[in-house]
Amino acid sequence: MTLYALMDCNNFYASCERAFQPQLVGKPIVVLSNNDGCVIARSNEAKALGIAMGVPYWEIKKLIHEHKVHVFSSNYPLYGDMSERIMNIAKDYCGDVEIYSIDESFLKFDTPYNTAEQTCKTLRAKVLQGTGVPVSIGIAPTKTLAKIANHVAKKGVTTGFSGQNTEGVFTLVDTHKMNEILSDFDVSKVWGIGRAYQKSLADYGILTAFDLKNASQTWIKHKFGVVMLRTVKELNGIPCLALEPPIESRQNVMVSRSFRKDVYAFSELTEALSVYATRLGEKLRQYKQTTAQLTIFLWTNPHKRLTFDAKIYFSETIKLPYATSDTAMLIHYALVVLKKIYQPKLNYKKGGILAHDLMSENATQGNLFESMDTALRHKTLMGVMDSMNKKYGKETLQMASCGVQHTWSRQAQFCSAGYTTKWVDILRVK
DNA sequence: TCTGGGGTCCTAGGACCC
DNA sequence: TCTGGGGTCCTAGGACCC
């Protein structure tokens, strides 16, 4: 029997921070988004205080102070590294692993369910022992059902959902049990059903996963399309979603960030867009891809509109003369577009750059305007920049237009150390 | 004062072609 | 008087995910 397991790290970012500060076990922790804007991860203790996902930090400052909540800025290099360690442990226990996101992976088992369950229990213990991060694992005949089983596994540990004591691993194969759980499972929590679909489904009286499972498939396809049809089939135990191979090349790459404050000056936007274009080039070269089309975006502050219906989003796309991942080129064209869309006296809050129609580096054709010689020199230069910046820290070498002041750039007051990613931050054991 | 970032897939509709 | 049909490609927008 083929079974899918979903392994999901509990409160991942908060758990990563706690792994290096064990004195925080049992204490409330929150992790903030870029710019220390919103709450994006909470420990169970913080959830119990009623701190919601996505709530702005300034709105809960008082609460945080009163309850001595520990606050962290997000430290993505640390979380990425922890994630890699956890996924590697999973690969020791299962030959078929799909890394789905930074804190989730699907595992495929072709074994009886009790064997799969035993393996997952061992895996869970190993991850906890090896990294200090608790995970929950749900096992079921399809990915969509495994997601639901995972919810049960997670709740079971903390609150005893449906009277289960799951120890972090829960298997959903028994039909009777499945119907019972699906009847008690809000349709909006089903994988693939977001807020918009929840609303339209409610109009037809479909409120739970069980309702959706039993809806007419022809009607679903006609009304909502093939994506939701797949979801319905998966709820019925018919696998429609296989384990996906790792993504080797992307279709779009984007870099966008909010600014620390409202930005009015063209010079500051020039710096910001230059830095974003630089980062874009790094990502492209990392994926060994090139782009021939860029879109530049600017958003004004939506919370401080100049007039009631003022436009807040400005963008324009430009075709490059040839596909490239060269930072100097990307900056050049980003600034050409910026100049076109910039309007003085607007309060810009966010900017971004998107590369689309990506091609593989190898497939990129030579061009008439750049000789092979120049192309090679650019490539060598980019290689040197990338390796210097990797070795001596980012921004060791950068283009002049990136500037140095960065009065606009992100705020991260509460960033933890790079325990596993920077030698200077390595833990010292006394 | 202060409100995240980065992706994917699907569909509808228009332009264009034979 | 009578005025087709079907295919492809592209883009914009909407839905979802973490």
Side-chain angles (χ1 to χ4, degrees), chain A residues 400-428:
Chain A
S401 61
C402 294
V404 286
Q405 295 275 339
H406 293 192
T407 42
W408 44 272
S409 81
R410 102 163 195 160
Q411 208 164 11
Q413 285 186 66
F414 316 106
C415 204
S416 57
Y419 301 107
T420 63
T421 54
K422 285 189 198 163
W423 284 110
V424 292
D425 288 342
I426 201 161
L427 281 185
R428 287 173 177 76

Side-chain angles (χ1 to χ4, degrees), chain A residues 2 4 141-144 230 233-242:
Chain A
T2 294
Y4 292 90
T142 67
K143 284 175 142 184
T144 305
R230 265 181 229 138
K233 287 189 170 176
E234 287 242 320
L235 286 175
N236 280 281
I238 302 159
C240 299
L241 304 167

Side-chain angles (χ1 to χ4, degrees), chain A residues 171-406:
Chain A
T171 308
L172 192 53
V173 286
D174 176 76
T175 314
H176 184 71
K177 188 91 214 157
M178 204 179 291
N179 286 342
E180 188 187 310
I181 286 171
L182 263 50
S183 306
D184 198 23
F185 199 84
D186 197 299
V187 76
S188 65
K189 288 195 295 183
V190 172
W191 193 34
I193 308 298
R195 280 182 30 204
Y197 285 159
Q198 177 194 19
K199 211 158 165 272
S200 355
L201 285 170
D203 291 341
Y204 299 97
I206 297 176
L207 305 174
T208 67
F210 186 75
D211 297 338
L212 185 59
K213 175 187 170 182
N214 292 306
S216 149
Q217 297 194 8
T218 34
W219 176 76
I220 288 284
K221 169 145 198 276
H222 174 246
K223 195 84 196 162
F224 296 98
V226 296
V227 179
M228 200 189 292
L229 177 63
R230 265 181 229 138
T231 301
V232 173
K233 287 189 170 176
E234 287 242 320
L235 286 175
N236 280 281
I238 302 159
C240 299
L241 304 167
L243 233 50
E244 299 287 337
I247 294 169
E248 284 172 12
S249 59
R250 286 154 203 276
Q251 296 171 27
N252 303 299
V253 174
M254 176 156 81
V255 177
S256 80
R257 299 269 187 285
S258 297
F259 307 133
R260 181 188 307 186
K261 48 164 194 163
D262 286 5
V263 166
Y264 295 84
F266 184 72
S267 61
E268 287 183 296
L269 294 175
T270 300
E271 276 188 19
L273 261 306
S274 299
V275 170
Y276 299 170
T278 303
R279 179 75 193 111
L280 186 77
E282 286 167 3
K283 283 186 174 183
L284 285 170
R285 297 192 291 277
Q286 186 189 333
Y287 304 137
K288 300 196 187 313
Q289 287 183 300
T290 58
T291 176
Q293 206 170 39
L294 296 177
T295 300
I296 309 300
F297 312 89
L298 289 175
W299 288 264
T300 56
N301 192 331
H303 306 286
K304 284 189 273 176
R305 294 177 191 232
L306 297 181
T307 60
F308 173 69
D309 55 353
K311 187 175 155 187
I312 58 168
Y313 172 74
F314 304 82
S315 82
E316 196 163 312
T317 300
I318 189 170
K319 281 201 159 55
L320 311 189
Y322 49 89
T324 184
S325 62
D326 179 79
T327 297
M329 282 269 294
L330 299 175
I331 292 180
H332 173 80
Y333 287 100
L335 297 184
V336 167
V337 179
L338 175 63
K339 203 172 269 178
K340 282 173 76 177
I341 61 175
Y342 171 76
Q343 295 175 37
K345 297 186 182 152
L346 290 186
N347 54 337
Y348 297 106
K349 182 58 182 168
K350 184 173 176 181
I353 176 167
L354 168 66
H356 21 171
D357 292 342
L358 305 191
M359 297 172 64
S360 152
E361 214 169 56
N362 303 327
T364 305
Q365 298 198 337
N367 65 88
L368 298 169
F369 312 104
E370 194 185 46
S371 69
M372 287 303 282
D373 196 36
T374 329
L376 193 64
R377 286 219 308 274
H378 281 168
K379 202 174 169 190
T380 314
L381 176 63
M382 288 303 112
V384 170
M385 273 185 76
D386 288 340
S387 57
M388 292 279 283
N389 289 338
K390 193 170 175 196
K391 195 163 172 186
Y392 300 108
K394 53 180 185 176
E395 299 175 12
T396 302
L397 277 184
Q398 63 170 359
M399 302 288 172
S401 61
C402 294
V404 286
Q405 295 275 339
H406 293 192

